[in-house]
Amino acid sequence: ETSEKDREFQAKIDRGVRIEANDWMPEGYRKTLIRQISQHAHSEIVGQLPEGNWITRAPSLQRKAILLAKVQDEAGHGLYLYCAAETLGISRDEMTAQLLSGKAKYSSIFNYPTLTWADMGAVGWLVDGAAIMNQVPLQRCSYGPYSRAMIRVCKEESFHQRQGFDVMRQLCQGTEEQKAMAQDALNRWWWPSLMMFGPSDKDSVHSEQSMRWGIKQNTNDELRQKFVDQTVPQAEWLGLTVPDPELKWNEDKGGYDFGEPDWSEFFEVIKGNGPCNKDRLAARNKAWDDGAWYRDGLTAHAEKQKQQIAA
Ligand code: 3HC
């Protein structure tokens, strides 16, 4: 049952007032923001791994420099988002422990392997394209620190998406083999990119409450539809075929009809049984362990500083 405070809070949300860290908020609002923002941050950090794999294998110095810049951007996105989550009362160490133990979710998309250079194109074009679709509305999220983090993230994501599309363009305008690589990457990344938007609305447990609290502006299916409508013409421009036999323009709806993602695959992946879940967690645990000496050094240095000030 809702209290007077809950009702006042909802009235603020309905008036479009931004909620700040020191404002009163229902425990459920705090909890779902910690859940979503920490998972978003984990996604950025784990998202560096599939692309990091190709930095040393990039076909040119220019492509290497661009990919390096993108992967570094993702680390920064993770930092903004962990900081936004900390304003809600959870510590960075707690969030890191949740990721490393396998308890926390991160975006399903990063549990797929990046097999060829064309994957760097497909990931930038489709994955960052989908991420932009989902992050632009988050700039209007009711929670101030999250919405402000999104403004900088969205600016950088558009560079990520353009550079990916440019890799696909270059391959599609190259040799037959290069175009076949681009088509193979589209075949493997199309459906997992649609799954990034979350389960269909009927299976989305959080959407209704998140929309009432102004955290979510659109439903999962709405954003998925927008993504398909925007991306299919780009695939056609590239001369590539979207791997969905049910894809068809629907004049009445002013959008494409398209097939259903394989939701059993989706739920398996988010349960931890995707192609790369174990590798991704192992890589993050190794990075944590390998960095222990550096953290210990920082802590020892801080301790010494404190003693000198106290003395
Ligand atoms: N991957 C993993 N888990 C997912 C998921 C996905 N693609 N989609 C949904 N889920 C999970 C939800 O977290 C929830 O599980 P939980 O209760 O244990 O958290 C469950 O499936 C039910 O889904 P809901 O639709 O009810 O959950 P949400 O309302 O949270 O909607 C979401 C899911 C749309 C992903 C939403 O959480 C969101 O907008 N998150 C912030 C944006 C984000 O994380 N984007 C993907 C990151 S990609 C990225 O940023 C990197 C880029 O730089 C390339």
Side-chain angles (χ1 to χ4, degrees):
E1 66 120 21
T2 53
S3 70
E4 185 46 35
K5 278 192 150 194
D6 287 319
R7 280 192 292 278
E8 271 166 30
F9 177 82
Q10 190 59 51
K12 268 174 94 174
I13 299 282
D14 296 344
R15 287 199 312 274
V17 174
R18 278 276 147 82
I19 305 300
E20 296 301 333
N22 296 330
D23 292 345
W24 183 87
M25 59 183 83
E27 216 24 54
Y29 180 82
R30 180 186 306 279
K31 260 179 69 201
T32 206
L33 279 171
I34 287 177
R35 171 188 67 81
Q36 176 164 331
I37 301 172
S38 62
Q39 287 172 184
H40 195 162
H42 297 326
S43 304
E44 301 285 0
I45 299 303
V46 175
Q48 294 181 286
L49 296 169
E51 290 171 314
N53 186 22
W54 282 90
I55 290 175
T56 53
R57 302 179 170 92
S60 71
L61 188 58
Q62 190 216 20
R63 289 293 183 197
K64 183 191 189 111
I66 292 171
L67 190 57
L68 201 53
K70 174 178 190 309
V71 171
Q72 279 172 325
D73 281 351
E74 311 294 10
H77 296 176
L79 183 61
Y80 310 144
L81 288 162
Y82 281 128
C83 292
E86 282 177 308
T87 65
L88 290 156
I90 184 170
S91 75
R92 180 70 178 271
D93 282 351
E94 270 173 284
M95 289 186 274
T96 303
Q98 287 171 355
L99 175 66
L100 298 183
S101 65
K103 195 164 150 284
K105 287 190 171 75
Y106 53 86
S107 190
S108 48
I109 192 73
F110 298 123
N111 291 307
Y112 291 85
T114 43
L115 303 177
T116 74
W117 171 253
D119 287 40
M120 290 304 100
V123 165
W125 173 38
L126 300 174
V127 173
D128 287 72
I132 292 170
M133 205 56 86
N134 161 288
Q135 287 167 156
V136 163
L138 282 172
Q139 293 174 113
R140 296 193 307 282
C141 166
S142 57
Y143 187 57
Y146 193 24
S147 63
R148 289 189 291 271
M150 280 300 107
I151 294 168
R152 168 86 182 263
V153 166
C154 287
K155 286 197 174 84
E156 293 173 342
E157 292 287 20
S158 33
F159 143 64
H160 299 172
Q161 201 257 5
R162 294 312 303 159
Q163 63 83 35
F165 185 76
D166 189 52
V167 167
M168 295 301 268
R169 177 199 56 74
Q170 191 164 6
L171 290 170
C172 290
Q173 292 172 353
T175 63
E176 276 316 300
E177 292 81 4
Q178 286 173 325
K179 184 158 186 187
M181 269 174 71
Q183 182 62 60
D184 163 59
L186 175 57
N187 293 344
R188 285 183 287 107
W189 288 93
W190 176 256
W191 291 105
S193 300
L194 295 196
M195 295 179 203
M196 276 176 73
F197 293 95
S200 48
D201 291 350
K202 62 181 183 355
D203 300 326
S204 171
V205 294
H206 300 294
S207 282
E208 200 207 329
Q209 181 60 64
S210 286
M211 290 182 80
R212 200 168 323 119
W213 274 332
I215 297 170
K216 219 179 210 182
Q217 314 295 326
N218 313 81
T219 72
N220 298 356
D221 288 335
E222 277 166 12
L223 289 183
R224 199 178 348 261
Q225 178 69 54
K226 260 182 88 180
F227 174 73
V228 171
D229 291 348
Q230 167 185 293
T231 311
V232 168
Q234 294 172 347
E236 282 167 1
W237 187 86
L238 288 168
L240 296 176
T241 309
V242 171
D244 176 1
E246 293 176 52
L247 187 71
K248 197 163 58 48
W249 177 255
N250 176 329
E251 197 48 44
D252 304 346
K253 127 174 153 183
Y256 288 90
D257 290 333
F258 54 96
E260 271 293 295
D262 175 350
W263 293 117
S264 58
E265 176 183 322
F266 171 76
F267 284 109
E268 274 307 297
V269 172
I270 68 172
K271 247 181 6 216
N273 306 325
C276 300
N277 296 57
K278 292 192 180 28
D279 311 27
R280 303 297 183 225
L281 269 194
R284 289 312 314 154
N285 275 285
K286 182 174 182 324
W288 177 258
D289 297 342
D290 290 353
W293 66 273
Y294 183 69
R295 289 191 303 276
D296 297 348
L298 280 182
T299 321
H301 178 67
E303 270 311 306
K304 225 157 69 187
Q305 295 273 66
K306 234 166 36 184
Q307 277 150 23
Q308 276 159 4
I309 294 167

